[in-house]
Coordinates of all heavy atoms in Angstrom, one line a residue:
M1 N 145.2 222.2 -95.1 CA 145.3 220.9 -95.8 C 144.3 220.9 -96.9 O 143.1 220.8 -96.6 CB 145.2 219.8 -94.8 CG 145.1 218.4 -95.4 SD 145.2 217.0 -94.3 CE 144.3 217.4 -92.9
L2 N 144.7 221.0 -98.1 CA 143.8 220.9 -99.2 C 143.8 219.6 -99.9 O 142.8 219.2 -100.6 CB 144.1 222.0 -100.2 CG 144.0 223.4 -99.7 CD1 144.5 224.4 -100.8 CD2 142.6 223.7 -99.3
I3 N 144.8 218.8 -99.8 CA 144.9 217.5 -100.3 C 145.4 216.6 -99.2 O 146.0 217.0 -98.3 CB 145.8 217.4 -101.6 CG1 147.2 217.8 -101.3 CG2 145.2 218.2 -102.7 CD1 148.2 217.4 -102.4
I4 N 145.2 215.3 -99.4 CA 145.6 214.3 -98.4 C 146.8 213.6 -99.0 O 146.7 213.0 -100.1 CB 144.5 213.4 -98.1 CG1 143.3 214.1 -97.6 CG2 144.9 212.3 -97.1 CD1 142.0 213.3 -97.5
S5 N 147.9 213.6 -98.3 CA 149.1 212.9 -98.8 C 149.3 211.5 -98.2 O 148.7 211.3 -97.1 CB 150.4 213.8 -98.5 OG 150.7 213.7 -97.2
K6 N 150.0 210.7 -98.9 CA 150.3 209.4 -98.3 C 151.0 209.5 -97.0 O 150.7 208.8 -96.0 CB 151.2 208.6 -99.4 CG 151.6 207.3 -98.9 CD 152.5 206.7 -100.0 CE 153.2 205.4 -99.4 NZ 154.1 204.8 -100.4
Q7 N 151.9 210.5 -96.9 CA 152.7 210.6 -95.6 C 151.8 211.0 -94.5 O 151.9 210.5 -93.3 CB 153.8 211.7 -95.8 CG 154.7 211.9 -94.6 CD 155.5 210.6 -94.4 OE1 156.0 210.1 -95.3 NE2 155.6 210.2 -93.1
Q8 N 150.8 211.9 -94.7 CA 149.8 212.2 -93.7 C 149.0 211.0 -93.2 O 148.8 210.9 -92.0 CB 148.8 213.3 -94.2 CG 149.4 214.6 -94.4 CD 148.4 215.5 -95.1 OE1 148.0 215.2 -96.2 NE2 148.0 216.6 -94.4
V9 N 148.6 210.2 -94.1 CA 147.9 209.0 -93.7 C 148.8 208.0 -92.9 O 148.4 207.4 -91.9 CB 147.2 208.3 -94.9 CG1 146.5 207.0 -94.5 CG2 146.3 209.2 -95.7
E10 N 150.0 207.8 -93.4 CA 151.0 207.0 -92.7 C 151.2 207.5 -91.3 O 151.3 206.7 -90.3 CB 152.3 206.9 -93.5 CG 152.2 206.0 -94.7 CD 153.4 206.1 -95.6 OE1 154.3 207.0 -95.4 OE2 153.5 205.2 -96.4
N11 N 151.4 208.8 -91.1 CA 151.6 209.4 -89.8 C 150.4 209.2 -88.9 O 150.5 208.9 -87.7 CB 151.9 210.9 -89.9 CG 153.3 211.2 -90.5 OD1 154.1 210.3 -90.6 ND2 153.4 212.4 -91.0
L12 N 149.2 209.3 -89.5 CA 148.0 209.1 -88.7 C 147.9 207.6 -88.2 O 147.6 207.4 -87.1 CB 146.8 209.4 -89.6 CG 145.4 209.2 -89.0 CD1 145.2 209.9 -87.7 CD2 144.3 209.5 -90.0
I13 N 148.2 206.7 -89.1 CA 148.2 205.3 -88.7 C 149.2 205.1 -87.5 O 148.8 204.4 -86.5 CB 148.6 204.4 -89.9 CG1 147.5 204.4 -90.9 CG2 148.9 202.9 -89.4 CD1 147.9 203.8 -92.3
D14 N 150.3 205.7 -87.6 CA 151.3 205.6 -86.5 C 150.8 206.1 -85.1 O 151.1 205.6 -84.1 CB 152.6 206.3 -86.8 CG 153.4 205.6 -87.9 OD1 153.2 204.4 -88.2 OD2 154.2 206.3 -88.5
R15 N 150.0 207.1 -85.2 CA 149.4 207.7 -84.0 C 148.2 207.0 -83.4 O 147.8 207.3 -82.3 CB 149.1 209.2 -84.2 CG 150.3 210.1 -84.4 CD 149.9 211.6 -84.3 NE 148.8 211.9 -85.2 CZ 148.9 212.3 -86.5 NH1 150.1 212.3 -87.0 NH2 147.9 212.6 -87.2
L16 N 147.5 206.2 -84.2 CA 146.3 205.6 -83.8 C 146.4 204.8 -82.5 O 145.5 204.7 -81.7 CB 145.7 204.7 -84.9 CG 145.1 205.4 -86.1 CD1 144.6 204.4 -87.1 CD2 144.0 206.4 -85.6
G17 N 147.6 204.2 -82.3 CA 147.8 203.3 -81.1 C 148.1 204.1 -79.9 O 148.2 203.5 -78.8
D18 N 148.2 205.4 -79.9 CA 148.5 206.3 -78.8 C 147.2 206.8 -78.2 O 146.6 207.8 -78.8 CB 149.4 207.4 -79.2 CG 149.9 208.3 -78.0 OD1 149.4 208.1 -76.9 OD2 150.7 209.1 -78.3
P19 N 146.7 206.3 -77.1 CA 145.5 206.7 -76.5 C 145.5 208.2 -76.2 O 144.4 208.9 -76.3 CB 145.3 205.9 -75.2 CG 146.2 204.7 -75.4 CD 147.3 205.2 -76.3
A20 N 146.6 208.8 -75.9 CA 146.7 210.2 -75.5 C 146.4 211.1 -76.8 O 146.0 212.2 -76.6 CB 148.1 210.5 -75.0
R21 N 146.6 210.5 -78.0 CA 146.4 211.3 -79.2 C 145.1 210.8 -79.9 O 145.0 211.2 -81.1 CB 147.6 211.2 -80.1 CG 148.9 211.7 -79.3 CD 150.1 211.7 -80.2 NE 150.1 212.8 -81.1 CZ 151.0 213.0 -82.0 NH1 152.0 212.2 -82.1 NH2 150.9 214.0 -82.9
F22 N 144.3 210.1 -79.3 CA 143.1 209.6 -79.9 C 142.2 210.7 -80.5 O 141.8 210.7 -81.7 CB 142.2 208.7 -79.0 CG 141.0 208.1 -79.6 CD1 141.1 207.0 -80.4 CD2 139.8 208.8 -79.4 CE1 139.9 206.5 -80.9 CE2 138.6 208.3 -80.0 CZ 138.7 207.1 -80.8
D23 N 141.9 211.7 -79.7 CA 141.0 212.8 -80.2 C 141.7 213.6 -81.3 O 141.0 213.9 -82.3 CB 140.7 213.8 -79.0 CG 139.7 213.1 -78.0 OD1 139.0 212.2 -78.4 OD2 139.7 213.6 -76.9
E24 N 143.0 213.8 -81.2 CA 143.7 214.4 -82.3 C 143.6 213.6 -83.6 O 143.4 214.2 -84.7 CB 145.2 214.6 -81.9 CG 146.1 215.2 -83.0 CD 147.5 215.1 -82.6 OE1 147.8 215.0 -81.4 OE2 148.3 215.2 -83.5
S25 N 143.8 212.3 -83.5 CA 143.8 211.4 -84.7 C 142.4 211.4 -85.3 O 142.3 211.5 -86.5 CB 144.2 210.0 -84.3 OG 145.5 210.0 -83.8
R26 N 141.4 211.3 -84.4 CA 140.0 211.3 -84.9 C 139.7 212.6 -85.6 O 139.1 212.6 -86.7 CB 139.1 211.1 -83.8 CG 137.6 210.9 -84.2 CD 136.7 210.5 -83.0 NE 135.4 210.2 -83.5 CZ 134.5 211.1 -83.6 NH1 134.7 212.4 -83.4 NH2 133.3 210.8 -84.1
G27 N 140.2 213.7 -85.1 CA 139.9 215.0 -85.7 C 140.6 215.1 -87.1 O 140.0 215.7 -88.0
E28 N 141.8 214.6 -87.2 CA 142.5 214.6 -88.5 C 141.8 213.7 -89.5 O 141.6 214.1 -90.6 CB 143.9 214.1 -88.3 CG 144.7 214.3 -89.6 CD 146.2 214.0 -89.4 OE1 146.7 214.0 -88.2 OE2 146.9 213.8 -90.4
L29 N 141.3 212.6 -89.0 CA 140.5 211.7 -89.9 C 139.2 212.4 -90.4 O 138.9 212.3 -91.6 CB 140.3 210.4 -89.3 CG 139.6 209.3 -90.1 CD1 140.4 209.0 -91.4 CD2 139.5 208.0 -89.3
E30 N 138.6 213.1 -89.5 CA 137.3 213.8 -89.8 C 137.6 214.9 -90.8 O 136.9 215.2 -91.7 CB 136.7 214.3 -88.6 CG 136.0 213.3 -87.7 CD 135.5 213.8 -86.4 OE1 135.9 214.9 -86.0 OE2 134.6 213.1 -85.8
K31 N 138.8 215.6 -90.7 CA 139.2 216.6 -91.6 C 139.4 216.0 -93.0 O 139.0 216.6 -94.0 CB 140.4 217.3 -91.1 CG 140.8 218.5 -92.0 CD 139.8 219.6 -91.9 CE 140.3 220.8 -92.7 NZ 139.2 221.8 -92.8
M32 N 140.1 214.8 -93.1 CA 140.3 214.2 -94.3 C 138.9 213.8 -95.0 O 138.8 214.0 -96.2 CB 141.1 212.9 -94.1 CG 142.5 213.1 -93.8 SD 143.3 211.5 -93.5 CE 145.0 212.0 -93.0
L33 N 138.0 213.4 -94.2 CA 136.7 213.1 -94.8 C 136.0 214.3 -95.2 O 135.4 214.3 -96.3 CB 135.8 212.4 -93.7 CG 134.4 212.1 -94.1 CD1 134.3 211.2 -95.3 CD2 133.6 211.4 -92.9
E34 N 136.2 215.4 -94.5 CA 135.6 216.7 -94.9 C 136.1 217.2 -96.3 O 135.4 217.6 -97.1 CB 135.9 217.7 -93.9 CG 135.3 219.1 -94.1 CD 135.6 220.1 -93.0 OE1 135.6 219.7 -91.8 OE2 135.9 221.2 -93.4
I35 N 137.4 217.0 -96.4 CA 138.1 217.4 -97.7 C 137.5 216.6 -98.8 O 137.1 217.1 -99.9 CB 139.6 217.2 -97.6 CG1 140.2 218.3 -96.6 CG2 140.3 217.3 -99.0 CD1 141.6 218.0 -96.2
Q36 N 137.5 215.2 -98.7 CA 137.0 214.4 -99.8 C 135.5 214.6 -100.0 O 135.1 214.6 -101.2 CB 137.3 212.9 -99.4 CG 138.8 212.6 -99.4 CD 139.5 213.0 -100.7 OE1 140.2 214.0 -100.7 NE2 139.3 212.3 -101.8
S37 N 134.7 214.8 -99.0 CA 133.3 215.1 -99.2 C 133.1 216.4 -99.9 O 132.2 216.4 -100.8 CB 132.6 215.1 -97.8 OG 132.6 213.9 -97.2
S38 N 133.9 217.3 -99.7 CA 133.8 218.6 -100.4 C 134.2 218.4 -101.8 O 133.5 219.0 -102.7 CB 134.8 219.6 -99.7 OG 134.5 220.9 -100.1
L39 N 135.2 217.7 -102.1 CA 135.6 217.4 -103.5 C 134.5 216.6 -104.2 O 134.2 216.9 -105.4 CB 136.9 216.6 -103.6 CG 138.2 217.3 -103.1 CD1 139.3 216.4 -103.1 CD2 138.5 218.5 -104.1
L40 N 133.9 215.7 -103.5 CA 132.8 214.9 -104.1 C 131.6 215.8 -104.4 O 131.0 215.8 -105.5 CB 132.3 213.8 -103.1 CG 131.1 213.0 -103.6 CD1 131.5 212.3 -104.9 CD2 130.8 212.0 -102.5
W41 N 131.3 216.8 -103.5 CA 130.2 217.7 -103.8 C 130.5 218.5 -105.0 O 129.6 218.8 -105.9 CB 130.1 218.6 -102.5 CG 129.0 219.7 -102.7 CD1 127.7 219.6 -102.6 CD2 129.3 221.0 -103.1 NE1 127.1 220.8 -102.9 CE2 128.0 221.7 -103.2 CE3 130.4 221.8 -103.4 CZ2 127.9 223.0 -103.5 CZ3 130.3 223.1 -103.7 CH2 129.1 223.7 -103.8
R42 N 131.8 218.9 -105.2 CA 132.2 219.7 -106.4 C 132.0 218.8 -107.6 O 131.6 219.3 -108.7 CB 133.6 220.2 -106.3 CG 133.8 221.2 -105.2 CD 133.5 222.6 -105.5 NE 134.0 223.0 -106.8 CZ 134.8 224.0 -107.0 NH1 135.1 224.8 -106.0 NH2 135.2 224.3 -108.2
A43 N 132.4 217.6 -107.5 CA 132.4 216.7 -108.7 C 130.9 216.4 -109.1 O 130.6 216.1 -110.3 CB 133.1 215.4 -108.4
E44 N 130.0 216.4 -108.1 CA 128.6 216.2 -108.4 C 127.9 217.4 -108.9 O 126.7 217.3 -109.3 CB 127.9 215.6 -107.2 CG 128.3 214.3 -106.8 CD 127.7 213.8 -105.5 OE1 127.4 214.6 -104.6 OE2 127.6 212.6 -105.3
G45 N 128.5 218.6 -108.8 CA 127.9 219.8 -109.2 C 127.6 220.0 -110.7 O 127.7 219.0 -111.5
P46 N 127.3 221.2 -111.1 CA 127.0 221.5 -112.5 C 128.2 221.1 -113.4 O 129.3 221.3 -113.1 CB 126.8 223.0 -112.5 CG 126.7 223.4 -111.1 CD 127.3 222.4 -110.3
R47 N 127.8 220.5 -114.5 CA 128.8 220.0 -115.4 C 128.9 220.8 -116.7 O 129.7 220.5 -117.6 CB 128.5 218.6 -115.8 CG 128.6 217.7 -114.6 CD 128.5 216.2 -115.0 NE 128.7 215.4 -113.8 CZ 127.8 214.7 -113.1 NH1 126.6 214.7 -113.6 NH2 128.1 214.1 -112.0
S48 N 128.2 221.9 -116.8 CA 128.2 222.7 -118.0 C 129.6 223.2 -118.4 O 129.9 223.3 -119.5 CB 127.2 223.8 -117.9 OG 127.5 224.7 -116.8
C49 N 130.4 223.6 -117.4 CA 131.7 224.2 -117.7 C 132.8 223.2 -117.7 O 133.9 223.4 -118.2 CB 132.0 225.4 -116.8 SG 132.2 224.8 -115.1
C50 N 132.6 222.1 -117.1 CA 133.7 221.1 -116.9 C 133.5 219.8 -117.6 O 134.4 218.9 -117.5 CB 133.8 220.8 -115.4 SG 134.0 222.2 -114.4
G51 N 132.4 219.6 -118.3 CA 132.2 218.3 -118.9 C 131.9 217.3 -117.9 O 131.5 217.6 -116.7
S52 N 132.0 216.0 -118.2 CA 131.7 214.9 -117.3 C 132.8 214.7 -116.3 O 133.9 214.5 -116.6 CB 131.4 213.7 -118.1 OG 131.2 212.6 -117.2
L53 N 132.4 214.6 -115.0 CA 133.3 214.4 -114.0 C 133.0 213.0 -113.3 O 133.4 212.8 -112.2 CB 133.3 215.5 -112.9 CG 133.7 216.8 -113.4 CD1 133.5 217.9 -112.3 CD2 135.2 216.8 -113.8
E54 N 132.3 212.2 -114.0 CA 131.8 210.9 -113.4 C 132.9 210.0 -112.9 O 132.8 209.5 -111.9 CB 131.0 210.1 -114.5 CG 130.2 209.0 -113.9 CD 129.2 209.4 -112.8 OE1 128.6 210.5 -112.9 OE2 128.9 208.7 -111.9
G55 N 134.0 210.0 -113.7 CA 135.2 209.2 -113.2 C 135.8 209.7 -111.9 O 136.1 208.9 -111.0
V56 N 135.9 211.0 -111.8 CA 136.4 211.6 -110.6 C 135.5 211.4 -109.5 O 135.9 211.0 -108.3 CB 136.6 213.1 -110.8 CG1 137.0 213.8 -109.5 CG2 137.7 213.4 -111.9
K57 N 134.2 211.5 -109.7 CA 133.2 211.3 -108.7 C 133.3 209.9 -108.1 O 133.2 209.7 -106.9 CB 131.8 211.5 -109.3 CG 130.7 211.3 -108.3 CD 129.3 211.5 -109.0 CE 128.2 210.8 -108.2 NZ 127.0 210.5 -108.9
V58 N 133.4 208.9 -109.0 CA 133.5 207.5 -108.5 C 134.7 207.3 -107.6 O 134.6 206.7 -106.6 CB 133.5 206.5 -109.7 CG1 133.8 205.1 -109.3 CG2 132.2 206.5 -110.4
C59 N 135.8 207.8 -108.0 CA 137.1 207.7 -107.2 C 136.9 208.4 -105.8 O 137.2 207.8 -104.8 CB 138.2 208.4 -107.9 SG 138.8 207.5 -109.4
I60 N 136.3 209.6 -105.8 CA 136.2 210.3 -104.6 C 135.1 209.6 -103.7 O 135.3 209.5 -102.5 CB 135.8 211.8 -104.8 CG1 137.0 212.5 -105.5 CG2 135.5 212.5 -103.5 CD1 136.6 213.9 -106.0
E61 N 134.1 209.1 -104.3 CA 133.1 208.3 -103.5 C 133.7 207.1 -102.8 O 133.4 206.9 -101.6 CB 131.9 207.8 -104.4 CG 130.9 208.9 -104.8 CD 129.9 208.3 -105.8 OE1 130.2 207.4 -106.5 OE2 128.8 208.9 -105.8
S62 N 134.6 206.4 -103.5 CA 135.3 205.3 -102.9 C 136.2 205.8 -101.7 O 136.2 205.1 -100.6 CB 136.2 204.6 -103.9 OG 135.4 204.1 -104.9
E63 N 136.9 206.9 -101.9 CA 137.7 207.4 -100.8 C 136.9 207.8 -99.6 O 137.2 207.6 -98.5 CB 138.6 208.6 -101.3 CG 139.6 208.2 -102.3 CD 140.4 209.3 -102.8 OE1 140.8 210.2 -102.0 OE2 140.7 209.4 -104.0
V64 N 135.8 208.5 -99.9 CA 134.9 208.9 -98.8 C 134.4 207.7 -98.0 O 134.3 207.7 -96.8 CB 133.7 209.8 -99.4 CG1 132.6 209.9 -98.3 CG2 134.2 211.1 -99.8
Q65 N 134.0 206.7 -98.7 CA 133.5 205.5 -98.0 C 134.5 204.9 -97.1 O 134.2 204.5 -95.9 CB 133.0 204.5 -99.0 CG 132.4 203.2 -98.4 CD 131.9 202.2 -99.4 OE1 132.0 202.5 -100.6 NE2 131.4 201.1 -98.9
V66 N 135.8 204.8 -97.6 CA 136.8 204.2 -96.7 C 137.1 205.1 -95.5 O 137.2 204.6 -94.4 CB 138.2 204.0 -97.5 CG1 139.3 203.7 -96.6 CG2 138.0 203.0 -98.6
L67 N 137.1 206.4 -95.7 CA 137.3 207.3 -94.6 C 136.1 207.3 -93.6 O 136.4 207.3 -92.3 CB 137.5 208.8 -95.1 CG 138.8 209.0 -95.9 CD1 138.8 210.4 -96.5 CD2 140.1 208.7 -95.0
E68 N 134.9 207.1 -94.1 CA 133.8 207.0 -93.2 C 133.9 205.7 -92.4 O 133.6 205.7 -91.1 CB 132.5 207.0 -94.0 CG 132.1 208.4 -94.5 CD 130.9 208.4 -95.4 OE1 130.5 207.3 -96.0 OE2 130.3 209.4 -95.6
E69 N 134.3 204.6 -93.0 CA 134.4 203.4 -92.3 C 135.5 203.5 -91.2 O 135.4 202.9 -90.2 CB 134.7 202.2 -93.3 CG 133.5 201.9 -94.1 CD 133.8 200.8 -95.2 OE1 134.7 200.1 -95.0 OE2 133.0 200.7 -96.1
A70 N 136.6 204.2 -91.6 CA 137.7 204.3 -90.6 C 137.3 205.1 -89.4 O 137.6 204.8 -88.2 CB 138.9 205.0 -91.3
I71 N 136.5 206.2 -89.6 CA 136.0 207.0 -88.5 C 135.0 206.1 -87.6 O 135.1 206.1 -86.4 CB 135.2 208.2 -89.0 CG1 136.3 209.3 -89.5 CG2 134.4 208.9 -87.9 CD1 135.7 210.5 -90.1
D72 N 134.2 205.3 -88.3 CA 133.3 204.4 -87.6 C 134.1 203.4 -86.7 O 133.7 203.2 -85.5 CB 132.4 203.7 -88.5 CG 131.3 202.8 -87.9 OD1 130.6 203.4 -87.0 OD2 131.2 201.6 -88.2
A73 N 135.2 202.9 -87.3 CA 136.0 202.0 -86.5 C 136.6 202.7 -85.3 O 136.7 202.1 -84.2 CB 137.1 201.4 -87.4
L74 N 137.1 203.9 -85.5 CA 137.7 204.7 -84.4 C 136.6 205.0 -83.3 O 136.9 204.9 -82.1 CB 138.2 206.0 -84.9 CG 139.6 206.0 -85.4 CD1 140.1 207.5 -85.8 CD2 140.6 205.4 -84.5
N75 N 135.4 205.3 -83.7 CA 134.3 205.5 -82.8 C 134.1 204.3 -81.9 O 133.6 204.4 -80.8 CB 133.0 206.0 -83.5 CG 133.2 207.4 -84.0 OD1 134.0 208.2 -83.6 ND2 132.3 207.7 -85.0
K76 N 134.3 203.1 -82.5 CA 134.1 201.9 -81.8 C 135.4 201.4 -81.1 O 135.4 200.3 -80.6 CB 133.6 200.8 -82.8 CG 132.3 201.1 -83.4 CD 131.9 200.0 -84.4 CE 130.5 200.4 -85.0 NZ 130.2 199.5 -86.1
K77 N 136.4 202.3 -81.1 CA 137.7 202.0 -80.5 C 138.4 200.8 -81.1 O 139.1 200.1 -80.5 CB 137.6 201.8 -79.0 CG 136.9 202.9 -78.3 CD 137.8 204.1 -78.2 CE 137.1 205.1 -77.2 NZ 137.2 206.5 -77.6
D78 N 138.0 200.5 -82.4 CA 138.6 199.4 -83.1 C 139.8 199.9 -83.9 O 139.7 200.1 -85.1 CB 137.6 198.7 -84.0 CG 138.0 197.5 -84.7 OD1 139.2 197.1 -84.6 OD2 137.2 196.8 -85.3
I79 N 140.9 200.1 -83.2 CA 142.1 200.7 -83.8 C 142.7 199.8 -84.9 O 143.1 200.3 -86.0 CB 143.2 201.0 -82.7 CG1 142.6 201.9 -81.6 CG2 144.4 201.6 -83.4 CD1 142.0 203.2 -82.1
P80 N 142.8 198.5 -84.7 CA 143.3 197.6 -85.8 C 142.5 197.8 -87.1 O 143.0 197.8 -88.2 CB 143.2 196.2 -85.3 CG 143.3 196.4 -83.8 CD 142.5 197.7 -83.5
R81 N 141.2 197.9 -87.0 CA 140.3 198.0 -88.2 C 140.5 199.4 -88.9 O 140.7 199.5 -90.1 CB 138.8 197.8 -87.8 CG 137.8 198.2 -88.9 CD 137.5 197.0 -89.7 NE 136.5 197.3 -90.7 CZ 136.6 197.1 -92.0 NH1 137.7 196.6 -92.5 NH2 135.6 197.5 -92.8
A82 N 140.6 200.4 -88.0 CA 140.9 201.8 -88.6 C 142.2 201.8 -89.3 O 142.3 202.4 -90.4 CB 140.8 202.8 -87.5
S83 N 143.2 201.2 -88.7 CA 144.6 201.2 -89.3 C 144.5 200.4 -90.6 O 145.1 200.9 -91.6 CB 145.6 200.5 -88.4 OG 145.8 201.3 -87.2
S84 N 143.8 199.3 -90.6 CA 143.7 198.5 -91.8 C 143.0 199.3 -93.0 O 143.5 199.3 -94.1 CB 143.0 197.2 -91.5 OG 142.8 196.5 -92.7
L85 N 142.0 200.0 -92.6 CA 141.3 200.8 -93.6 C 142.2 201.9 -94.2 O 142.2 202.2 -95.4 CB 140.0 201.3 -93.1 CG 138.9 200.3 -92.9 CD1 137.8 200.8 -91.9 CD2 138.2 200.0 -94.2
L86 N 142.9 202.5 -93.3 CA 143.8 203.6 -93.7 C 145.0 203.1 -94.6 O 145.4 203.7 -95.5 CB 144.3 204.4 -92.6 CG 143.2 205.2 -91.9 CD1 143.8 205.8 -90.6 CD2 142.7 206.3 -92.8
K87 N 145.4 201.8 -94.3 CA 146.4 201.2 -95.1 C 145.9 200.9 -96.5 O 146.5 201.1 -97.5 CB 147.0 200.0 -94.5 CG 147.9 200.3 -93.3 CD 148.3 199.0 -92.6 CE 149.1 199.4 -91.3 NZ 149.4 198.2 -90.5
D88 N 144.6 200.5 -96.6 CA 143.9 200.3 -97.9 C 143.8 201.6 -98.6 O 144.0 201.7 -99.8 CB 142.5 199.7 -97.6 CG 142.6 198.2 -97.2 OD1 143.6 197.6 -97.3 OD2 141.5 197.7 -96.7
Y89 N 143.5 202.7 -97.9 CA 143.4 204.0 -98.4 C 144.7 204.4 -99.1 O 144.8 204.9 -100.2 CB 143.0 205.0 -97.4 CG 142.7 206.4 -97.9 CD1 141.6 206.6 -98.6 CD2 143.6 207.4 -97.6 CE1 141.3 207.9 -99.1 CE2 143.3 208.7 -98.0 CZ 142.2 208.9 -98.8 OH 141.9 210.2 -99.2
I90 N 145.9 204.1 -98.4 CA 147.2 204.4 -99.0 C 147.4 203.6 -100.3 O 147.9 204.2 -101.3 CB 148.3 204.1 -98.0 CG1 148.3 205.1 -96.8 CG2 149.7 204.1 -98.6 CD1 149.2 204.8 -95.7
K91 N 147.1 202.4 -100.3 CA 147.2 201.6 -101.5 C 146.4 202.1 -102.7 O 146.8 202.2 -103.8 CB 146.8 200.1 -101.2 CG 147.7 199.4 -100.4 CD 147.2 198.0 -100.1 CE 148.0 197.3 -99.0 NZ 147.5 196.0 -98.6
Y92 N 145.2 202.6 -102.3 CA 144.3 203.2 -103.3 C 145.0 204.5 -103.9 O 145.0 204.7 -105.1 CB 143.0 203.5 -102.7 CG 142.0 204.0 -103.7 CD1 141.4 203.2 -104.7 CD2 141.6 205.4 -103.7 CE1 140.5 203.7 -105.6 CE2 140.7 205.8 -104.6 CZ 140.1 205.0 -105.6 OH 139.2 205.5 -106.5
M93 N 145.5 205.3 -103.0 CA 146.2 206.5 -103.4 C 147.4 206.2 -104.3 O 147.6 206.9 -105.3 CB 146.7 207.3 -102.1 CG 145.6 207.9 -101.3 SD 146.3 208.5 -99.7 CE 147.0 210.0 -100.3
E94 N 148.1 205.2 -104.0 CA 149.3 204.7 -104.8 C 148.8 204.3 -106.2 O 149.5 204.6 -107.2 CB 150.1 203.6 -104.1 CG 150.8 204.1 -102.9 CD 151.5 203.0 -102.1 OE1 151.0 201.8 -102.3 OE2 152.3 203.3 -101.3
L95 N 147.7 203.6 -106.3 CA 147.1 203.2 -107.6 C 146.8 204.4 -108.4 O 147.0 204.4 -109.6 CB 145.9 202.3 -107.4 CG 146.2 200.9 -107.0 CD1 144.8 200.2 -106.7 CD2 147.0 200.2 -108.0
L96 N 146.2 205.4 -107.8 CA 145.8 206.6 -108.5 C 147.0 207.4 -109.0 O 146.9 208.1 -110.0 CB 145.0 207.5 -107.6 CG 143.6 207.0 -107.3 CD1 142.9 208.0 -106.3 CD2 142.7 206.7 -108.5
E97 N 148.2 207.3 -108.4 CA 149.4 208.0 -108.8 C 150.0 207.4 -110.0 O 150.8 208.0 -110.7 CB 150.4 208.0 -107.7 CG 150.1 208.8 -106.5 CD 151.0 208.7 -105.3 OE1 152.0 207.9 -105.4 OE2 150.8 209.4 -104.3
Q98 N 149.7 206.1 -110.3 CA 150.3 205.5 -111.5 C 149.7 205.9 -112.8 O 148.7 206.3 -113.0 CB 150.2 204.0 -111.3 CG 150.9 203.5 -110.2 CD 150.7 202.0 -109.9 OE1 150.0 201.3 -110.7 NE2 151.4 201.4 -108.9

């Protein structure tokens, strides 16, 4: 998984209510955070060959923050909050597509 799709996030939201799949769901959310954190690290890197990536950096920082908050909610077993945050994440993804 190199990018995060809207469908992946929607599927994750559907699984959040299943206690038997909690660890799987948490692992997938952690992987999403790892992907975005990695992209953020790249956006913050040297700019000599790529020019300014400040706009990309700001977008990715926002995504990382939402994913971190969703993981925190899962850690607290606050499934409604995690679902809400992931729904916000989908809305954000849709805005970026426009």
Side-chain angles (χ1 to χ4, degrees):
M1 173 170 40
L2 298 175
I3 61 169
I4 301 166
S5 72
K6 177 182 170 184
Q7 187 64 46
Q8 287 172 302
V9 179
E10 288 173 341
N11 291 341
L12 176 58
I13 291 169
D14 291 340
R15 289 193 309 272
L16 287 179
D18 184 354
R21 298 182 79 182
F22 180 81
D23 289 337
E24 174 189 341
S25 298
R26 187 173 184 275
E28 186 171 344
L29 186 53
E30 287 174 341
K31 185 66 177 172
M32 289 177 182
L33 177 59
E34 181 182 320
I35 290 167
Q36 292 308 105
S37 294
S38 195
L39 291 172
L40 179 59
W41 177 79
R42 296 277 311 233
E44 291 176 334
R47 296 190 173 109
S48 58
C49 66
C50 303
S52 175
L53 296 174
E54 194 61 34
V56 172
K57 179 183 162 201
V58 170
C59 290
I60 297 172
E61 282 175 337
S62 297
E63 293 180 39
V64 165
Q65 182 177 358
V66 170
L67 294 172
E68 286 174 339
E69 289 177 20
I71 288 175
D72 186 50
L74 277 184
N75 288 338
K76 294 175 181 173
K77 308 286 191 221
D78 188 350
I79 304 304
R81 172 92 174 121
S83 293
S84 176
L85 287 162
L86 290 172
K87 287 175 184 172
D88 290 344
Y89 185 72
I90 289 172
K91 289 177 188 172
Y92 185 74
M93 292 171 75
E94 289 171 342
L95 285 174
L96 293 177
E97 290 175 358
Q98 295 177 359

